[in-house]
Amino acid sequence: MSKDKIIASALARFANQGYYHTSLAEIAEDVGIRKPSIYAHFSSKEAIFLSLLQEAFTREQAALALFATAHPSRQLLHQYFVDIPLRYEGNGYLRFWIRALYMPPYDLEKEIKDYDDKYSKMIDTTIDTVLRRIEDENGLLRPKIEVADAFTGLLRGIHAELLYNGPQEAIRKARGMWGIFELVFSK
């Protein structure tokens, strides 16, 4: 029971405050335990963070897998793109994930980079699959690889927008970005 509470507290604090502005003492206080009691479940703050990083990655992997298996169309791509700011608001793991990718603790940069590399490959594979289907259905006005790179760039831009300016601004920017991006689709 305490382990779940430790995870919930750490998730909220890391997602909102970051790694360096979160202390084990704060997490213990949130949970209603003394700081040394945390060590019965985790060896360090770093261990808690890495545990959350693994879970956040797994959840994003599941979100991409669900997206890839849905009916292919440009509306599907649009839905995935605009859903990110909406998921961000209600999903501590996504907030944590984005913060970890864009503001990694310097002593955990290697581990985060490894996850980011896996995440980038997952996105590339998923987007390639979806764009191949869209290309077969309707065609693309630009080469598929360029469209995939552009989509990934837009996705990373929305991540940064969420982190630095919040969901409302990200939703506004996502709508504008999509309006330009969808010009690559033929009619």
Side-chain angles (χ1 to χ4, degrees):
M1 184 66 125
S2 287
K3 183 175 183 175
D4 292 339
K5 289 180 180 179
I6 291 167
I7 289 169
S9 170
L11 177 64
R13 288 200 176 264
F14 288 144
N16 296 317
Q17 297 172 191
Y19 183 79
Y20 294 114
H21 295 297
T22 298
S23 71
L24 288 179
E26 290 172 319
I27 294 169
E29 184 178 324
D30 290 347
V31 175
I33 60 175
R34 294 177 349 150
K35 180 179 162 185
S37 298
I38 290 175
Y39 296 111
H41 304 284
F42 296 97
S43 61
S44 63
K45 182 168 91 167
E46 181 180 290
I48 298 170
F49 187 91
L50 291 174
S51 173
L52 290 170
L53 190 64
Q54 171 61 48
E55 181 61 24
F57 174 78
T58 300
R59 287 171 182 240
E60 281 309 294
Q61 189 175 32
L64 275 170
L66 183 63
F67 163 66
T69 59
H71 184 285
S73 70
R74 69 188 203 196
Q75 289 78 22
L76 172 69
L77 205 58
H78 175 258
Q79 189 63 44
Y80 179 77
F81 185 71
V82 298
D83 271 357
I84 289 173
L86 302 174
R87 283 193 310 124
Y88 182 87
E89 287 188 276
N91 186 327
Y93 279 100
L94 182 57
R95 284 193 318 277
F96 170 82
W97 177 250
I98 290 172
R99 186 178 195 103
L101 292 182
Y102 292 88
M103 299 176 146
Y106 60 84
D107 45 341
L108 297 174
E109 278 186 60
K110 184 199 176 312
E111 291 87 345
I112 292 168
K113 175 78 171 101
D114 290 346
Y115 275 106
D116 191 30
D117 289 346
K118 287 187 238 176
Y119 178 63
S120 292
K121 286 177 185 158
M122 262 181 355
I123 289 172
D124 289 347
T125 301
T126 302
I127 298 306
D128 182 69
T129 300
V130 172
L131 287 177
R132 194 172 336 109
R133 291 175 189 161
I134 292 172
E135 191 173 41
D136 291 345
E137 290 173 355
N138 305 314
L140 296 170
L141 297 176
R142 300 293 303 167
K144 184 171 52 85
I145 188 69
E146 286 181 17
V147 176
D149 288 345
F151 184 83
T152 302
L154 293 175
L155 189 61
R156 295 293 186 152
I158 288 301
H159 287 169
E161 199 64 46
L162 283 164
L163 184 61
Y164 294 110
N165 296 314
Q168 292 308 97
E169 189 67 14
I171 289 168
R172 187 178 72 76
K173 295 275 176 74
R175 287 182 183 140
M177 288 176 179
W178 187 262
I180 301 301
F181 179 76
E182 74 177 342
L183 295 175
V184 302
F185 300 116
S186 61
K187 297 183 186 224

